[in-house]
Amino acid sequence: MHAALCCIAACTPLSFFAQTTTIVYPQPKFEDANRLQKITAAMPVIDQLFKDYAEKNHFPGFAWGIVADGKLLHTGYIGYDDIDKKVPVNSQSAFRIASMSKSFTAMAILKLRDEGKLKLDDPVYMYIPEMKNQPYPTKDAAPVTVRNLLSHSAGFPEDNPWGDRQLADTDDELIALIKKGISYSTNPGTGYEYSNLGFAMLGYIIKKVSGMTYEQYINENILAPLGMGNTYWEYAKIPAIQLAHGYRWLNNQWVEQPLLHDGTYGAMGGMITTIEDFGKYVALHLSAYPAGDSKESGPVKRSSIREMHYPWDVNGFNVNYKYPGGRACPMVTAYCYGLSWARDCDGRLMIAHSGGLPGFGSNWRILPDYGIGVICFANLTYASTTPINMQVLDTLISMANLKPRQLIASSILNERRDELVKLLPAWNNAEASGIFAQNFFMDYFSDSLRKEATAIFAKAGKIITVKDVAPENGLRGSFIMEGENSNIQVTFTLTPENPPMIQAYSIKEIPKKQ
């Protein structure tokens, strides 16, 4: 027994016996204290972009808003809610936002999940028994799950514009459709295809699980806590002076479109709201960033909101994408839970959703890392609103010289940097230092490490200063050692152990900036 213990002591790396470490992860932050003033200064240009776009595309009425750092910073309006009565668009104008409603339904599902009332991987037939014996394309298909409905991966066919005309259907009509058997385009879980039917089912599941209609549940658990008192589902309940009428541009004139009443499919596209109200919802999504230790203050957990933003179903890569201003920038896209996701060539992460129904078109888009968002509503059939919001964000970032939040190195990254610096370039007694993981000297060899580092340091000359760690995340980063002749970059990655040890390392010479 004693021999075995001695063997363990002799063969086990020092990290095994190291004391545990409490790692401090400082909050990412914006470095520019004047960012809000710079954003505000850009608003005249932003307003003109929106106005020009509305006129060019024959929007009867148009409303927009800019959200930054937790509040609706700016709003703008042009045109009419009601052309015949010449009612101008204003801060109380209530537009139908169509598929932008989907994220509210998704948020309600996640809130119910957080309350332990359902699971995302539950088969849908647990809540809609009529889904039990569906005729899938093949007999070995997996059943549709709640998660499939959230991410448009249920195997249902894309159903625009059919779904748009079902808005006022009842629960009974939805169940009757399911009983007849759904026609599937693919097996569940095997691909992305946009489905309004899937979100109508999610609305029905909210009712089965909560005992309230999806409208009641969302009103009480999301809208009311956010103070969204001018948000509706049924247009007939809206004061006439507030309601934005919907139009279609035909034969060089606007033709009013009939509004559909609220029904089962409202869970996919029935919400009617104002820029001021929706700005509160956008601020909620932005408040989920950065992750932190502060007390939860929203109606839904911040982690669940970030989960809504995760790209669950990648659906596109446009290598030829160009911003509306003409700037080429490839873009990859995906669908989340009731939201879309995109990352462009500059690494900008965007969360968004559009809406389109007969009479209406809308879009909202946030850049969580930049703390900004944009909203716009139009009362024109399937109004194309994504391009202008993309242009506005691109313009705003450029004009205000906005930078994303900067990660701050964790305490362990700083500690390991200091320890590495002491070892370079000679690597003397490195194996006994206790900072390297078990794999390190199996993958890197002391003689080679010493030879490489010595040559690079000789070229760099006397080291003048060691810069802060530039973190990639809490356990990976790099730092610069400035030399008289050239600089040195050291990159390292830590293990999942406690305390984390260095498992990977690289060093290279980089030229000084001119």
Side-chain angles (χ1 to χ4, degrees), residues 74-309:
H74 178 79
T75 59
Y77 314 94
I78 190 173
Y80 298 101
D81 286 343
D82 185 332
I83 293 173
D84 292 340
K85 295 181 180 179
K86 295 293 186 290
V87 178
V89 177
N90 58 69
S91 62
Q92 298 302 311
S93 296
F95 288 76
R96 178 156 266 165
I97 61 171
S99 288
M100 283 168 54
S101 311
K102 287 182 170 68
S103 65
F104 289 88
T105 299
M107 183 176 283
I109 289 288
L110 288 186
K111 185 171 179 63
L112 289 166
R113 187 277 311 273
D114 293 344
E115 295 169 352
K117 296 178 180 177
L118 58 76
K119 296 178 181 177
L120 300 190
D121 290 318
D122 285 342
V124 171
Y125 63 68
M126 289 179 59
Y127 309 101
I128 308 177
E130 292 78 8
M131 287 288 291
K132 178 69 172 179
N133 297 307
Q134 283 293 307
Y136 296 129
T138 65
K139 291 183 179 179
D140 63 351
V144 175
T145 65
V146 175
R147 193 188 304 276
N148 291 150
L149 298 182
L150 286 168
S151 58
H152 292 311
S153 60
F156 304 154
E158 187 277 323
D159 59 3
N160 289 325
W162 171 85
D164 296 343
R165 301 294 183 178
Q166 315 306 311
L167 203 61
D169 281 9
T170 65
D171 286 350
D172 289 343
E173 287 173 311
L174 173 65
I175 297 304
L177 181 147
I178 297 170
K179 282 182 176 180
K180 288 175 64 179
I182 296 168
S183 295
Y184 289 78
S185 56
T186 60
N187 276 333
T190 61
Y192 167 87
E193 201 154 0
Y194 193 87
S195 174
N196 293 300
L197 172 61
F199 271 78
M201 289 186 183
L202 288 171
Y204 188 85
I205 290 171
I206 292 170
K207 179 180 178 181
K208 290 293 291 288
V209 171
S210 70
M212 294 185 269
T213 65
Y214 71 82
E215 298 99 329
Q216 291 172 320
Y217 186 84
I218 292 172
N219 288 350
E220 292 183 19
N221 291 278
I222 299 174
L223 304 186
L226 292 177
M228 295 176 65
N230 288 307
T231 297
Y232 313 85
W233 299 95
E234 172 53 55
Y235 77 85
K237 295 181 179 180
I238 303 173
I241 195 69
Q242 287 183 244
L243 180 64
H245 294 234
Y247 299 88
R248 189 184 291 269
W249 182 252
L250 290 172
N251 301 320
N252 293 317
Q253 62 180 343
W254 288 305
V255 178
E256 186 165 355
Q257 302 297 292
L259 285 164
L260 292 174
H261 289 286
D262 180 39
T264 297
Y265 280 75
M268 69 82 183
M271 182 174 281
I272 304 169
T273 189
T274 67
I275 288 289
E276 288 187 353
D277 262 23
F278 201 83
K280 299 172 184 177
Y281 182 65
V282 173
L284 171 67
H285 282 267
L286 286 170
S287 74
Y289 298 87
D293 300 327
S294 58
K295 184 179 178 180
E296 297 278 1
S297 59
V300 181
K301 293 195 301 183
R302 290 192 298 269
S303 61
S304 293
I305 294 173
R306 294 192 296 271
E307 183 181 352
M308 287 179 67
H309 298 172

Side-chain angles (χ1 to χ4, degrees), residues 404-423:
R405 286 187 187 89
Q406 297 301 305
L407 283 176
I408 303 172
S410 63
S411 57
I412 192 64
L413 282 178
N414 285 323
E415 183 179 337
R416 295 293 181 243
R417 174 206 57 189
D418 295 344
E419 291 163 335
L420 263 176
V421 168
K422 292 177 182 178
L423 293 174

